[in-house]
Amino acid sequence: MHESPLTFFKEPLRSASLVDRFDRQLNYLRISVTDRCNMRCDYCRPAADAYQAEPRSQLLSFAEIERIVRVAARLGVNKLRITGGEPLVRKGLSELIASLARIEGISDIAMTSNATLLFKEAKALVDAGLHRVNISLDSLNPLHFRTLTGAELSPVLAGIQAAKEAGLTPIKLNTVLMRGINDDEVASLIDFAVAHDATIRFIELMPMKQGMDWDKHYISIEDILQREDVQQRVQVDAPLLTSNTAARYLPLKEGKGSVGFIMPMSSRFCDGCNRLRLTSDGGLRSCLPADEQLNLRDLMRRGGTDKAIADVFLRSAMLKPEIGVYDFSSDNEKRSMIHIGG
Ligand code: SAM
């Protein structure tokens, strides 16, 4: 039996809120619900022979995730993002979302997905309390898409449509830019987003533990903005608009709307970082590229109290570095996006 958060937290919320050493308020928890995925993207996971999913018993149960979020909410976390692996391959995800949506203090629940299973699930997810979805889309060419992901493009397109119809809006599309792989598709991806009333964000490839050669495929946003077909569509000389996310935006030339750019490599956005990450096996991480993570799963399974969970959150906040540094020498197996959740 663990003590109820209501009995532990007698003091007002503010007295124990998550503020790090650089005065950043951490109110956003990204929760990876699985390390399994129905795609095989080389930029996201270690090479096939080096990838090993955790035994299911090592993953957090829904009850454990809910308990962690209850404690986090009492510390001021109000915003959640469900991610993975592919979150929709975890059975019963809508039930988890419904239970998280009922937690006092949680006001926003979003998800990052590859959308392959959304056409079946979108309505149930909305009914459960999901507000928005970000969808990964790295190519519009079915053959390239299959080579890149090992999956078909058509279910993803159906998923985008289903998300729109279910009201999971505004839909954001995420494209990881890879030189020689999809950097020639930027203009067509922008046109696709405009036609589907979605906002597209281009993400610089990060050097994580992955099955892709980062040096060979990294391309900066600055390079992308030099392209003629991009300049025909985007006001590249306009000032970059900031947002309360990691993305910076430039207006489109025609119509309304903008295009987003996430530049973890060429232009850090750590100043306003409000994030903590929970891995599917219960690791709490305060910085995406930093290897430090504190283990909540073992603590809970040893009978740890809610106060002990809260202490781990406070400790994690104190460990958050001022700036995230991509340590190219690090060879930590757990440093792939499929493990951390992106
Ligand atoms: N399966 C889901 C999906 O495809 O969106 C959620 C998990 S995925 C790890 C979350 C995000 O991380 C996706 O937008 C993905 O493109 C991004 N990502 C994965 N590896 C990356 C890398 N090496 N550099 C930049 N972004 C990456």
Side-chain angles (χ1 to χ4, degrees), residues 37 43-44 83-87 112-114 136 174 176 203-206 208 210 337 341-342:
C37 189
Y43 60 81
C44 187
T83 177
E86 170 49 38
T112 300
S113 167
N114 63 30
S136 297
N174 287 338
V176 178
I203 307 173
E204 288 176 345
L205 182 68
M206 292 177 240
M208 305 295 284
Q210 60 207 4
M337 287 290 203

Side-chain angles (χ1 to χ4, degrees), residues 183-200:
D183 56 329
D184 58 341
E185 288 199 54
V186 172
S188 52
L189 283 157
I190 293 173
D191 294 344
F192 176 89
V194 170
H196 289 80
D197 211 11
T199 300
I200 190 153

Side-chain angles (χ1 to χ4, degrees), residues 206-208 268 270 277 285-292 321 323-327 330 335 340:
M206 292 177 240
M208 305 295 284
R268 294 283 160 77
C270 302
R277 290 178 164 83
R285 300 175 74 103
S286 58
C287 176
L288 176 60
D291 281 340
E292 283 78 26
I323 294 172
V325 177
Y326 290 83
D327 174 5
S330 170
R335 208 167 149 271
I340 303 171

Side-chain angles (χ1 to χ4, degrees), residues 85-150:
E86 170 49 38
L88 288 171
V89 304
R90 178 100 188 233
K91 292 217 164 51
L93 188 70
S94 296
E95 281 120 72
L96 173 70
I97 288 176
S99 72
L100 300 181
R102 283 194 291 270
I103 294 175
E104 197 185 327
I106 298 301
S107 55
D108 185 55
I109 308 183
M111 179 173 73
T112 300
S113 167
N114 63 30
T116 44
L117 301 171
L118 257 185
F119 70 100
K120 293 197 268 195
E121 303 284 343
K123 168 93 176 51
L125 291 164
V126 171
D127 292 346
L130 187 71
H131 296 119
R132 281 167 294 106
V133 68
N134 289 3
I135 295 174
S136 297
L137 182 66
D138 296 324
S139 174
L140 288 169
N141 175 320
L143 281 178
H144 286 169
F145 190 87
R146 195 182 302 142
T147 310
L148 201 58
T149 67

Side-chain angles (χ1 to χ4, degrees), residues 165-183:
E165 284 164 13
L168 285 171
T169 50
I171 292 176
K172 288 183 186 156
L173 302 174
N174 287 338
T175 302
V176 178
L177 288 167
M178 290 163 277
R179 187 187 289 281
I181 294 184
N182 66 353
D183 56 329

